[in-house]
Amino acid sequence: MRLAKDSKEITIYDILEAIEGTRQLFKIHTDFDTTAFQNRESVEKWLQESSKLLYEAEDAMENVLRGVTLDELDKR
């Protein structure tokens, strides 16, 4: 088997994207019904903040994976 590009040009993110596509890595539910909670506003705020944190974590992970090539990983 042969790679289409040199291993120095292929990032770990490229491989992840080829396997998983461009969909989000974390499933974040946005259709959560908060009407049953006594502290509805607190629950909604928590959901917003936790979703924001997961988006930030996903971005950080993608940036790390974009910074490592297949060649570099092989040398570790």
Side-chain angles (χ1 to χ4, degrees), residues 24-53:
Q24 292 180 294
L25 299 176
F26 295 113
K27 175 71 173 160
I28 299 173
H29 297 280
T30 57
D31 59 347
F32 196 86
D33 182 13
T34 59
T35 59
F37 292 92
Q38 287 180 340
N39 297 327
R40 179 181 182 179
E41 295 83 14
S42 296
V43 172
E44 288 174 352
K45 182 178 179 186
W46 184 87
L47 289 170
Q48 288 173 350
E49 292 301 316
S50 62
S51 294
K52 181 180 172 186
L53 180 64

Side-chain angles (χ1 to χ4, degrees), residues 6-23:
D6 188 272
S7 62
K8 293 176 184 171
E9 298 174 14
I10 301 171
T11 68
I12 303 307
Y13 180 81
D14 293 333
I15 296 168
L16 176 68
E17 186 178 42
I19 295 169
E20 295 292 329
T22 57
R23 65 187 170 105

Side-chain angles (χ1 to χ4, degrees), residues 9 64 69 71:
E9 298 174 14
V64 169
T69 65
D71 186 61

